């Protein structure tokens, strides 16, 4: 369900919070859905449980998750989704990638070739 990119430069807790927000906005996590435990996520990702706990606490403070003692964290009933398609949720990331490519004088063809190459490597 979750993954981290150690090369992104973004703190792990931030990567996790962004992924939960994305899954809620994509309606892959719906109100009432339970999330894996802090321990499960920490073990799966080989990270400190406090990092996962920090991410969950931030999401709880935003009103996206609710905590009940002795039960798994759940998506809040009032968690709102803007109901975007999965591709719409990627538009900002794509725009940032295009801007970076332009700054580095990477052509569209080079960028597309690089994306295709990364996709092929990901499938292996």
């Amino acid at each position: 369900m979750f993954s981290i990119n150690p090369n992104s430069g973004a703190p792990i807790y931030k990567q996790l919070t962004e992924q939960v927000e994305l899954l809620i906005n994509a309606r892959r996590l719906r109100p009432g859905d339970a999330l894996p435990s802090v321990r499960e996520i920490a073990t799966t990702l080989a990270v400190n449980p406090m990092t996962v706990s920090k991410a969950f606490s931030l999401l709880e403070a935003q009103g996206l998750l609710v905590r009940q003692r002795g039960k798994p964290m759940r998506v809040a009933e009032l968690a709102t989704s803007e109901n975007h398609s999965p591709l719409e949720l990627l538009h900002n990331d794509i725009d940032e990638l295009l801007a970076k490519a332009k700054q580095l004088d990477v052509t569209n063809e080079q960028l597309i070739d690089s994306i295709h190459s990364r996709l092929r490597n990901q499938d292996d």
Side-chain angles (χ1 to χ4, degrees):
M1 175 180 278
F2 301 109
S3 63
I4 56 168
N5 179 357
N7 300 320
S8 79
I12 294 169
Y13 78 90
K14 183 122 175 85
Q15 292 182 49
L16 291 172
T17 57
E18 289 174 355
Q19 288 177 50
V20 172
E21 290 170 352
L22 185 67
L23 291 169
I24 290 171
N25 285 328
R27 306 189 126 242
R28 297 213 29 228
L29 282 176
R30 298 178 181 271
D33 284 353
L35 274 71
S37 73
V38 167
R39 184 175 295 149
E40 288 175 68
I41 295 171
T43 301
T44 301
L45 299 177
V47 299
N48 189 315
M50 292 303 294
T51 302
V52 179
S53 185
K54 180 177 182 176
F56 279 5
S57 292
L58 289 170
L59 292 161
E60 182 181 22
Q62 292 175 20
L64 295 176
L65 297 181
V66 291
R67 184 184 319 256
Q68 292 179 318
R69 190 173 182 99
K71 294 184 180 181
M73 290 289 279
R74 294 193 176 277
V75 176
E77 291 298 327
L78 300 177
T80 57
S81 168
E82 296 176 17
N83 204 14
H84 293 293
S85 74
L87 284 177
E88 286 176 316
L89 294 171
L90 293 174
H91 283 176
N92 287 341
D93 296 318
I94 292 169
D95 291 342
E96 286 180 29
L97 176 63
L98 293 173
K100 286 180 184 178
K102 185 174 183 176
Q103 289 174 333
L104 297 170
D105 292 324
V106 174
T107 67
N108 290 347
E109 292 77 19
Q110 290 171 318
L111 182 60
I112 291 169
D113 288 345
S114 179
I115 291 170
H116 282 152
S117 174
R118 300 291 292 212
L119 287 170
R120 280 192 298 276
N121 290 339
Q122 188 177 25
D123 291 338
D124 293 341

